[in-house]
Amino acid sequence: MFFSRKLKAFALFLFILVPNLGNALTPPLSPDELLEDSDLVIEGQVVGEVVCLSQTVPNKCFNRMDYQTEVKVLKVLKGKAKKKKNIPVHFFHNDFAKGKCVGDQGAALYQGDIGTFYLKKSDQDYYYPFHWSSVNIQTQGSKTWPSCK
């Protein structure tokens, strides 16, 4: 009987804990982790129009939208980029509005945003924020995106 009570308690613990582990959000990376994992770290401003590249096949939790824009380099903190040059940046946004799922929405960039950008370089010659915490905005821009269809 004692064993059975422990087994029931353990089963209840797993029932409560395991489903909630899937709902945990990714924690932010530390400044040291961001710096180490980046190919390019800049202070910059989103100057390009935000353009929708595609909306991937929807799933039960979210719709993923891929965007591109240009960021003007104001100051280089790591890597090689020319000051006052615009660099192409691609990013994604996961829209969880349709489901009860939670998760990483991606690093959001809006036209006019000014901040620090921790970026990786792609094989296709553009940069991208590799973690939701790899964009630290000090001044908010427009807060609007084009629709993706």
Side-chain angles (χ1 to χ4, degrees), residues 42-47 70-74 84-86:
I42 61 167
E43 290 178 6
Q45 180 175 11
V46 178
V47 294
E70 289 190 340
V71 175
K72 183 177 188 175
V73 177
L74 302 176
K84 297 189 179 182
K85 180 184 176 204
N86 294 352

Side-chain angles (χ1 to χ4, degrees), residues 11-31:
L12 180 62
F13 171 77
L14 286 178
F15 179 75
I16 293 169
L17 177 68
V18 172
N20 289 328
L21 287 177
N23 292 336
L25 295 176
T26 308
L29 295 177
S30 71

Side-chain angles (χ1 to χ4, degrees), residues 92-97 103-108 132 145:
F92 72 89
H93 174 74
N94 291 330
D95 180 3
F96 287 91
D104 178 9
Q105 292 183 320
W132 67 263
W145 289 322

Side-chain angles (χ1 to χ4, degrees), residues 104-115:
D104 178 9
Q105 292 183 320
L109 302 178
Y110 299 96
Q111 191 170 19
D113 283 354
I114 300 172

